Amino acid sequence: MAAASVNTTISMLDSNMETDKLTYEIFSILENKFLFGYDDIKTSDKNLSAPFAGNKNVGTGKVRILTIDAGGSTDGVLAGKSLTHLEDTLRQKSGKPNAHIADFFDVVAGSGAGGVLAGLLFTRGNDGVPMFTAKEALDFVVENGRKISRSFKTGVFRRFSRPAKVFRKVFGDLTLKDTMKAVLIPCYDLTTGAPFVFSRADALEMDGCDFTMADVCGATMADRAVDIKSVDCRTKITAVGGGIAMTNPTAAAITHVLNNKQEFPFANGVEDLLVVSLGNGDSDSGTGNVMSSPAAFVKIAGDGTADMVDQAVSMAFGQSRKNNYVRIQGNGIVGKRNQIIKEENISKGERMRKMVVIAEEMLGQKNVECVLFQGKKLVENSNLDKLKIVASELIKEQERRKNSILPPVILKHAPSSPRTSSATTLSSNSSC
């Protein structure tokens, strides 16, 4: 399903056609999985691990994917709290008190507030380890939520917070090349009228696809048009938030892995993946008068898309979703959230701290699973139970790799000959 690099002379129509084609192919793969049987693997699929099937010590393992939705009712707080609990559990179970989330995942895809969390957790600091722990990333979201997420009004003048300044203070001149694992962060490019996915793989292949992390995070959080350019100034886009491009980036992450044989040579299907998908709270778009704000319609569309992606991916994993696919999503917190927003004489810091308490409550809720075209159902395990289970699976995979001859992941660390990744195809911009 690889596509040729998009040439600068390709017309807007051609670009949109390519994007539509890829979108069709993504969901065709998912559709074939759940409509025609999880176990019905095509014999024509190239199984790179087949020559080693007789050696029980050569298992190729699973590619570990973390995906984080765009901000919902709690603007990244739920996902941040989930990551904090997950990191604490991983440290405890692995016996490594200084372990980071990035140590246990090969791929991260984040949109909106999820993209910011991805950047904070997977960008390499001066000491060679991730810049932020999960707790530090949550604190950042809590303390800077309004600065990085939304515009506001003062009197008759409309002012905008400047998230780029906040992000530059954090990331400095660090770029996508400075991320530690495969990173995918989307926005929507108004110039081409198509999603644009910032990708570490693409950045390592060509400078025209390398952007500063400050710009990447600013673009995926943008609630208005933001002009940004690549490090070499060859690629220019007019970006708005990742929630418009793809609220739930899980399908894009899976597609990237299954079609990037250079970095993930043995990932042939969903059975070769371990996916942890974090939502950011249920929607408040169904409350009040949705006709009062066009933004409400955008939220409804985004929430619906996130649920559909969850349902399709869940069905694609079939019976293996018990151990291979975990979705953490809040349920029924709209009323409490709205009460906090309406409180007067409360500082924004106190308001966000109360949001953290709500996030803690959501982790104690029973986990919600989506059933395609049948809505949602509650399961016995709580969200926190699910995180503990997936932590055990992540550690098992980490231990398995110590005795494996063939690595399931071969991440690039230096530029090589150009290759079109799935992220590049989604990012239908001429220079990439």
Side-chain angles (χ1 to χ4, degrees), residues 56-67:
K56 63 181 181 180
N57 296 320
V58 181
T60 54
K62 300 173 184 176
V63 178
R64 304 162 301 180
I65 302 173
L66 172 65
T67 69

Side-chain angles (χ1 to χ4, degrees), residues 144-309:
N144 297 281
R146 289 184 64 84
K147 294 180 183 178
I148 65 176
S149 65
R150 52 174 72 101
S151 59
F152 60 94
K153 294 182 179 180
T154 302
V156 296
F157 298 101
R158 181 172 179 82
R159 292 184 179 180
F160 291 92
S161 60
R162 297 187 179 274
K165 289 185 177 180
V166 178
F167 294 133
R168 287 193 193 101
K169 185 176 181 180
V170 172
F171 294 107
D173 295 328
L174 295 176
T175 74
L176 283 166
K177 291 182 179 180
D178 296 304
T179 53
M180 304 183 68
K181 299 294 178 70
V183 172
L184 301 167
I185 299 176
C187 69
Y188 191 85
D189 183 12
L190 294 174
T191 304
T192 60
F196 187 102
V197 180
F198 299 101
S199 166
R200 176 185 184 272
D202 291 341
L204 288 172
E205 291 173 350
M206 54 194 80
D207 291 335
C209 293
D210 191 24
F211 294 79
T212 66
M213 289 306 298
D215 280 346
V216 170
C217 291
T220 199
M221 286 295 295
D223 63 351
R224 63 182 179 113
V226 176
D227 293 324
I228 66 171
K229 59 182 68 176
S230 59
V231 174
D232 66 357
C233 299
R234 293 181 181 178
T235 306
K236 300 178 182 179
I237 68 172
T238 301
V240 289
I244 295 176
M246 54 185 75
T247 301
N248 182 342
T250 305
I254 292 173
T255 304
H256 175 76
V257 171
L258 295 183
N259 290 279
N260 183 352
K261 292 302 181 184
Q262 186 172 359
E263 293 186 306
F264 312 103
F266 303 108
N268 297 305
V270 293
E271 64 276 5
D272 300 316
L273 310 177
L274 173 56
V275 179
V276 180
S277 175
L278 303 180
N280 261 317
D282 56 356
S283 172
D284 58 1
S285 56
T287 62
N289 182 10
V290 296
M291 298 297 292
S292 63
S293 171
F297 288 102
V298 176
K299 296 187 70 175
I300 291 173
D303 294 334
T305 300
D307 284 345
M308 285 298 291
V309 170

Side-chain angles (χ1 to χ4, degrees), residues 123-131 170-171 174 178:
T123 301
R124 182 182 288 104
N126 293 330
D127 54 359
V129 300
M131 296 181 65
V170 172
F171 294 107
L174 295 176
D178 296 304

Side-chain angles (χ1 to χ4, degrees), residues 103-144:
D103 298 333
F104 294 90
F105 287 96
D106 308 303
V107 182
V108 63
S111 182
V116 174
L117 289 169
L120 297 174
L121 295 172
F122 285 79
T123 301
R124 182 182 288 104
N126 293 330
D127 54 359
V129 300
M131 296 181 65
F132 282 64
T133 65
K135 176 62 167 59
E136 291 167 344
L138 173 61
D139 289 343
F140 176 88
V141 170
V142 170
E143 294 169 8
N144 297 281

